[in-house]
Structure formats: structure tokens, C-alpha cells
Amino acid sequence: MTADPADPADPADPADAAEAVPATEDGWQRLDPRNRLVAAVFLAGPPIAVGLIWLVGRALVPSGLMWTLASLGVTGMVIGGVTLVEWFTVRYRVTDERLQVRSGFLVRNHRSIPRDRIRSVDVSASPLHRLFRLATVKIGTGQHVGSGTEELKLDGVAPAEADRLRAVLLYRSAPAASGTATGATAASGVRGDAPIARLDWAWLRYAPLTVSALLAVFGALGVLYKPLDALGLGPQDIVRLGVVRGAVGEFNAVPLWMSIAVAVLVVLVVAVLGSLLIFVLTWWGFRLDDEGATLRTRRGLLTTRSVTLEKRRLRGVEIAEPLLLRAGGGARVNAVAVGLKSGNDGKSDSDANTRALLPPAPRAEAHRVATRVLGEDPTAAVALRRHPRRALRRRINRAAGVALAVAVILAVLAVFWIPAWSVACALVLFPLLLPFSFDAYRSLGHGVTGEYLVTRYGTGMRTTVGLRRDGVIGWKITRSPFQRRAGLVTLVATTAANDGAYRVRDVEPAAALGFAEESVPGLLVPFLAHDS
């Protein structure tokens, strides 16, 4: 495998190895000394910039903006101080059995985890870190460690040291000396084969069909709002600006339908351009490599990222198809692995990024990657069983319930604020939601093929999961009051991978028990009541 010089996790040159931080006699190491340069940038840069702005343009810059700049300067100094304290206080070492990290200034923390509990190693480098040839190593453990965090982080090590840690922690090799990049690479067992997948710029056409298009619109609004708010310009002040007044006048001078069409066109252009930019920043240089015992993804333009997952932790794959991406014939591939989460908890996208094996790409490419990763593609190898028509009725009832709720809200608003005729808009909502109800029903399915069980569900985000049967550690059957009336249940396969649960929604009780017994024979038998 050819090394990518832009990847902080690739073996560094001899100069980097020479600059590696030596370990003490008992094996403890500290972060790279170049962290002091990073701290200096944060400590000195913002105050100097704010001071120059105040000296040169204090007569032109509003006081509100100066206070905003000052607060940013203080924030930068705090970050610099934290970076400097971490360099003074953080120590780590890798023994034959454990990874140990000491940190803290006033309150000292000592974390120690067994090496065989490490699930993944994520190596990233921000633009500032890349400037000083540093990298951040995040060690995923899949459990709560120390004060509640779910990962250990070493923020600011040399690229050679990051690669050594990746090899030592994931390949169970002996903890070689710091800076031994060649030994680390040899221990990794890297194959010389072509990568499983690499970025094809033709996939850029799928970028506007993902949620990044919506994020681009909100991002653009934030970029416009923040500077204006810092200048002390509220909505009324903005409307008084000459350019804005002229735009509003042009907007009112044309027919309403044309104004709406222009506004929609502007939003679409911003969404498309923004989603293309997000795609390029996120997936630049993407490649997925098979390193023998692990899978490794690398990507990123400004912030580079390298994620390594152990194959023995894999329990399957997810084929994710958001509604627009599915309509365009595209899909994404995510790993189902022990110790990872889906990233849907709203806290961070870190887990979601860790488990991504393929960016938005043609559906055929997604199935090819799934086959290369698992040796087979369970999501395409089985004809999924259909769910009863009562599941369709439940989805139609949900659409009707949403339309009714909107009608009630509009009726209440019509009493105090909006015109009464707007309540009729709720009547249009139900026919608009009805096709999604049918699509959600058609997306339901489940089946068993070889060593995998497969379940599919969702319409806005249709997800097809191929989960190893030996990865199922339990079953749970849930039933809401509405499901009781329909005679349906939801079968939940519990596993140590990702969210910990994958659902077969709205099936008949007998079919659910039959599927559970077929997937993992004998697991439910002790909990079933038998007629005497």
C-alpha cells in the first residue's frame, strides 16, 4: 500500500522519527514538544490580532464587534493554556497488557484499560496540527472509561508515534520504542493489494442528495447572521440597508409566484454548492484498505482522518439510503462493529464518522464494498419477507394522525393570528404524506441468509442491516397499545455492536418467534410458555 503523505497516520520520515519523544525508564512518554508551538499560536495570535484591529480600525469597528473579537481572543488564550497544561501533565505508556494514561493538573486522573478491549484507533489532524506535523489519536474502547468518557485521546503526538500506537494497539504487537515507524508498519500487516475502494469524483453528483444540502443552507444562514449580529445589526436594521431595500422592492414588483420561484431557486443553489463543498472537505482522498486483520479508511482535505477497525469486531454492515439518495440510485455503507455507536444520539458525529466505510456512491458500488468487507453481501443475497398489510394500515394511520395534529394547531392559531382559510392546508397534508406511508411499508422486510439475519426499515432513511447471527446475544419483543389492536409486535435483536439493537418492525407474533428461532436456534426456547 502506497503511503499518503497528507495522512498523519502514515509512517513519517526519518526526521519525524528522530524528533519522537523518548520514553522514560519505566516506559512513560509525554506528548510531542511541538504542542508548545500550538499553544503559543493560541496564546499570542488572538490578542495580537485583536490589538491590531483596535489600533488600526477602532474608529470604524463598532464596539459590539470589538467585544465579540475580544471574547474570541480570550477563548483562544484559554485553548492555548489548556494545550500547554496538557503537554506538561499528560503521560502515557503501553505495556504488554494495558494502555495507561495520566492527566490532570489540580485533579490527577489515571486511566488504564486492557489492550484487548480496544475497538478502534482514530488518527486525525486539524490544519493547525498539520502545520506543525502533529496528530490526534483517539482510542475507542466501546465502554465508559474513567470519568465517563468513551474514548482515550492523545492530542498532539508525532505522525510516526501515531502510526506506532495504531499498530501496537490494534495488532497486539510488542510495544516497540517510540519513533520506531518501520517496526510499527511491519507489525501492522499491511497488504500490498489495491484498496477496496477509493474516491471517484463522479460520486460528487450524490452530494446534493444527502442531508449535507440542508446543513449547507443553515450554515450559510449562520455565516451571514453572525457577522451582522456582531455589528449590532438586527433584522429591522438589515431591512433598512439600501441593498436589502432594493432587493425587497424588486421582490414586491414581480408576481408572487415568480418571487417564490426565485427564492426557492436561491435556496437550491446554496444547498447544492454547500453540499458539494462539504463533500469535498469530508471525503477528499478517501480510500478503504484491507490491512489483513483490520480495515482502514482515510479521508479529509483540511482535517485529515484515518480510522482503523478490527475485522474480528465486525458483526455486519448497514446499507443506508436517505430518501433523495435512494431516488438517485445511491447508498452509503456503514460498519456494524462491537464498540461502535450509530452517532444518532445527538452528542457528536464522531461515531458515525468512525463507522463509515463508503461515502455516498452508486448502489452497486455499495453492495460491492459490502461483499469485499464481509466476503459476501447478506443485504443483497436474500429475498426479504413481506410484512402483513396491517403494518401498512399503521403507517396510513400515522399520516392521518400527523395531518389531524397539524389541523388542530392551525385551528388554534387561526383564533388569534393566522387567517381561518389556512386550516384547509392540513387537508392537503394527508395526501402528501400518503405516498411516504406506502414507501415505508414497502421498505419493511426481514430474512435469513447463511450466517446473517437481515432486516430493513425506514423511508426518510431506509436502512438495510446484515447482522451476523452469532452476534445476537438476546431477543426482546415489544408491543405498543396500537400494535396490540393490530395484532403486531416488534422483534428486537440485541447485540454488542453499534446501537445494541436492531428491529424487525410490525410483524405477527408467530412470525417474530419463528424468525428468532430460525436466526439463533434455542435462544428463545427457555422463555417460551408451552401448552401441557
Side-chain angles (χ1 to χ4, degrees):
M1 183 181 64
T2 303
D4 182 358
D7 183 0
D10 280 329
D13 54 33
D16 286 322
E19 295 179 16
V21 181
T24 59
E25 292 183 1
D26 55 359
W28 288 98
Q29 296 173 236
R30 69 193 312 170
L31 301 178
D32 194 278
R34 283 171 288 192
N35 279 282
R36 292 174 294 183
L37 299 177
V38 176
V41 170
F42 281 109
L43 287 171
I48 292 175
V50 172
L52 290 175
I53 292 174
W54 185 80
L55 289 173
V56 176
R58 62 180 180 271
L60 301 176
V61 179
S63 59
L65 180 58
M66 283 304 304
W67 281 110
T68 301
L69 293 175
S71 64
L72 292 176
V74 172
T75 302
M77 295 176 66
V78 170
I79 295 174
V82 170
T83 302
L84 196 59
V85 169
E86 284 184 348
W87 181 79
F88 275 110
T89 61
V90 173
R91 301 290 186 274
Y92 66 94
R93 71 175 176 181
V94 182
T95 67
D96 291 336
E97 301 294 334
R98 310 185 75 84
L99 167 66
Q100 299 173 317
V101 179
R102 293 175 178 172
S103 61
F105 180 62
L106 297 178
V107 178
R108 295 288 292 173
N109 295 319
H110 187 175
R111 300 179 183 177
S112 178
I113 60 172
R115 289 170 60 183
D116 59 5
R117 295 302 300 261
I118 293 173
R119 274 39 171 175
S120 64
V121 176
D122 182 346
V123 180
S124 61
S126 66
L128 187 58
H129 274 169
R130 293 175 67 186
L131 177 65
F132 293 107
R133 292 197 59 77
L134 294 171
T136 298
V137 180
K138 295 180 181 179
I139 300 100
T141 63
Q143 61 179 347
H144 289 276
V145 185
S147 60
T149 59
E150 297 178 346
E151 63 185 9
L152 296 177
K153 183 171 72 170
L154 300 174
D155 193 1
V157 298
E161 175 66 4
D163 192 68
R164 183 189 74 89
L165 289 171
R166 186 180 72 89
V168 167
L169 295 176
L170 285 180
Y171 297 99
R172 311 293 184 259
S173 58
S178 173
T180 312
T182 56
T185 306
S188 66
V190 176
R191 292 182 174 180
D193 302 340
I196 296 176
R198 65 168 66 239
L199 182 64
D200 184 344
W201 285 111
W203 301 347
L204 197 62
R205 67 183 185 271
Y206 294 108
L209 305 179
T210 62
V211 71
S212 60
L214 184 62
L215 294 177
V217 174
F218 285 105
L221 293 176
V223 169
L224 292 174
Y225 172 76
K226 286 296 183 181
L228 294 174
D229 181 64
L231 290 171
L233 297 177
Q236 295 180 348
D237 300 317
I238 296 174
V239 172
R240 295 193 191 100
L241 295 176
V243 175
V244 177
R245 276 206 313 269
V248 171
E250 293 291 336
F251 189 85
N252 294 327
V254 298
L256 179 61
W257 66 268
M258 186 178 294
S259 301
I260 295 176
V262 170
V264 170
L265 181 61
V266 170
V267 171
L268 288 177
V269 170
V270 171
V272 170
L273 295 179
S275 63
L276 295 177
L277 177 61
I278 292 173
F279 186 96
V280 171
L281 293 176
T282 303
W283 298 106
W284 178 278
F286 167 81
R287 60 183 289 163
L288 170 64
D289 287 292
D290 183 348
E291 297 187 337
T294 62
L295 296 170
R296 184 183 184 188
T297 60
R298 287 175 285 181
R299 58 184 174 82
L301 180 59
L302 298 180
T303 298
T304 60
R305 188 166 191 182
S306 170
V307 179
T308 308
L309 297 175
E310 286 187 293
K311 285 184 179 179
R312 69 188 184 98
R313 305 287 184 182
L314 280 176
R315 296 296 180 267
V317 295
E318 294 176 357
I319 305 295
E321 301 171 276
L323 184 62
L324 292 179
L325 185 59
R326 175 159 43 109
R332 291 183 58 173
V333 181
N334 298 319
V336 177
V338 175
L340 297 183
K341 290 187 176 182
S342 69
N344 295 330
D345 56 4
K347 296 179 182 177
S348 172
D349 67 343
S350 176
D351 291 306
N353 289 336
T354 299
R355 52 199 283 275
L357 297 178
L358 188 72
R363 189 178 293 113
E365 176 68 9
H367 288 297
R368 185 192 69 81
V369 168
T371 302
R372 287 288 305 275
V373 168
L374 298 180
E376 61 178 301
D377 183 7
T379 64
V382 60
L384 299 181
R385 303 166 194 171
R386 301 295 297 272
H387 289 211
R389 299 284 292 183
R390 284 168 285 176
L392 173 60
R393 279 205 309 270
R394 277 177 45 78
R395 280 145 184 81
I396 294 175
N397 291 339
R398 288 176 187 170
V402 170
L404 179 61
V406 172
V408 171
I409 294 173
L410 291 177
V412 173
L413 293 177
V415 175
F416 304 100
W417 183 32
I418 63 177
W421 59 265
S422 60
V423 180
C425 295
L427 301 177
V428 183
L429 185 59
F430 177 68
L432 292 177
L433 293 177
L434 200 56
F436 295 99
S437 301
F438 282 92
D439 181 71
Y441 172 70
R442 285 192 299 267
S443 295
L444 292 175
H446 63 280
V448 176
T449 173
E451 298 300 319
Y452 294 86
L453 66 86
V454 181
T455 177
R456 188 178 68 192
Y457 49 84
T459 180
M461 172 64 79
R462 188 172 77 177
T463 304
T464 309
V465 181
L467 177 66
R468 286 188 62 91
R469 294 157 62 186
D470 57 10
V472 177
I473 59 178
W475 294 102
K476 182 168 66 173
I477 297 176
T478 63
R479 203 175 195 184
S480 69
F482 298 104
Q483 284 180 313
R484 291 194 194 99
R485 292 187 59 186
L488 300 173
V489 299
T490 294
L491 177 68
V492 183
T494 58
T495 178
N498 290 31
D499 274 344
Y502 287 99
R503 292 167 175 79
V504 182
R505 293 186 168 98
D506 289 338
V507 292
E508 295 173 333
L513 296 176
F515 180 67
E517 180 64 20
E518 180 185 6
S519 301
V520 189
L523 187 58
L524 268 181
V525 170
F527 305 98
L528 298 179
H530 299 278
D531 295 333
S532 56

